[in-house]
């Protein structure tokens, strides 16, 4: 059984139950600026990507001229839902367990630096992670650059690290970095979509993720 020295997590849809808020905010912002409203599938596909990169794909009619207004409306709707967004049940105890085992844990996310820092403060998890990378300070998924930077900073080898996420963007990024990946089905992308990206393992819940990871940690 392969064992891992460290774990890197995606944020939205993996540790935090924010998928529906992101989708609804994209749909409402589209209506606000007079553009066709994307389906739930279209909107959910972009989760994990940098916001601007993803929006051009989810809302094909969106132009560069409309982008500032769109993002302003998106943030308006998202922040209205902000206080109701919670961590998935079991996520924080899992992170506590990893810290107790002295396992390095990191975040690789499509969120902006300001957005991630704000939410980490809100849920009081800023000190939990050894390092974090956001899409606006490096390359967006599925480019492996953010994983390369984390590996370099923590002096880790890709074959000894597990990437955990809820989208094919996370899985493809892990492939591109030479890392194993765990995909969760309770986030943005469904099982059939995730299977096509060929993650190392697919799990259906946080408890299942917890058990799978903890059975494969190297002794520190």
């Amino acid at each position: 059984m392969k064992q891992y020295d460290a774990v890197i997590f995606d944020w939205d849809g993996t540790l935090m139950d924010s998928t529906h808020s992101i989708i609804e905010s994209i749909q409402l912002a589209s209506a606000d600026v007079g553009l066709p409203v994307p389906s739930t599938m279209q909107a959910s596909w972009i989760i994990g990507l940098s916001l601007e990169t993803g929006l051009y794909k989810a809302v094909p009619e969106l132009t560069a001229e409309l982008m500032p207004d769109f993002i302003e409306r998106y943030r308006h709707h998202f922040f209205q839902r902000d206080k109701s967004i919670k961590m998935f049940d079991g996520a924080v105890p899992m992170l506590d367990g990893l810290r107790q085992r002295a396992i390095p844990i990191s975040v690789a996310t499509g969120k902006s630096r300001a957005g991630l820092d704000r939410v980490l403060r809100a849920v009081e998890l800023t000190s939990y992670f050894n390092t974090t990378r956001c899409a606006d300070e490096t390359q967006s998924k599925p480019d492996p650059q953010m994983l390369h930077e984390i590996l370099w900073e923590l002096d880790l080898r890709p074959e000894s690290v597990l990437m955990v996420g809820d989208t094919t963007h996370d899985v493809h990024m892990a492939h591109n970095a030479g890392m194993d990946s765990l995909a969760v089905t309770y986030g943005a992308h469904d099982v059939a979509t995730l299977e096509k990206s060929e993650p190392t393992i697919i799990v259906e819940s946080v408890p299942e993720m917890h058990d799978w990871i903890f059975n494969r940690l190297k002794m520190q």
Side-chain angles (χ1 to χ4, degrees), residues 7-175:
V7 185
I8 302 174
F9 293 95
D10 169 59
W11 186 260
D12 291 308
T14 301
L15 294 177
M16 177 159 272
D17 190 6
S18 48
T19 300
H20 295 298
S21 295
I22 294 171
I23 292 169
E24 291 172 2
S25 299
I26 291 170
Q27 292 172 326
L28 290 168
S30 298
D32 287 349
V33 300
L35 295 177
V37 175
S39 67
T40 296
M41 182 175 293
Q42 283 176 287
S44 67
W45 185 86
I46 77 163
I47 294 174
L49 301 176
S50 64
L51 185 57
E52 290 196 19
T53 299
L55 286 175
Y56 283 124
K57 296 179 182 295
V59 190
E61 299 84 2
L62 183 60
T63 63
E65 291 75 21
L66 278 175
M67 181 63 79
D69 289 340
F70 192 104
I71 290 179
E72 187 279 325
R73 297 311 300 165
Y74 168 84
R75 288 176 174 159
H76 167 78
H77 292 298
F78 187 79
F79 291 157
Q80 282 190 325
R81 292 158 173 73
D82 211 22
K83 292 183 179 179
S84 65
I85 301 174
K86 306 296 182 185
M87 301 293 286
F88 283 108
D89 289 344
V92 174
M94 177 185 64
L95 296 175
D96 283 331
L98 290 167
R99 279 159 42 92
Q100 290 167 9
R101 292 276 295 270
I103 299 296
I105 53 176
S106 307
V107 172
T109 177
K111 297 182 82 67
S112 66
R113 170 52 60 189
L116 180 64
D117 287 349
R118 179 179 57 81
V119 74
L120 286 176
R121 288 193 298 270
V123 296
E124 300 181 348
L125 294 178
T126 301
S127 64
Y128 271 55
F129 299 99
N130 295 74
T131 191
T132 60
R133 284 297 184 281
C134 300
D136 63 347
E137 58 193 9
T138 183
Q139 297 298 312
S140 182
K141 302 172 186 180
D143 189 291
Q145 184 60 34
M146 66 172 70
L147 294 184
H148 288 161
E149 292 176 4
I150 291 172
L151 294 174
W152 178 84
E153 182 175 341
L154 301 182
D155 192 24
L156 296 166
R157 295 173 293 108
E159 60 271 19
S160 70
V161 180
L162 180 70
M163 174 67 207
V164 179
D166 67 312
T167 71
T168 59
H169 314 308
D170 300 305
V171 177
H172 289 311
M173 179 174 66
H175 286 322

Side-chain angles (χ1 to χ4, degrees), residues 189-220:
H189 290 183
D190 61 27
V191 177
T193 302
L194 290 169
E195 285 177 342
K196 292 176 183 176
S197 64
E198 300 183 343
T200 307
I201 183 69
I202 296 177
V203 302
E204 298 180 353
S205 66
V206 174
E208 188 179 354
M209 170 171 62
H210 177 285
D211 291 345
W212 196 91
I213 292 174
F214 276 74
N215 284 330
R216 290 162 177 82
L217 296 176
K218 291 183 179 177
M219 297 300 294
Q220 298 297 309

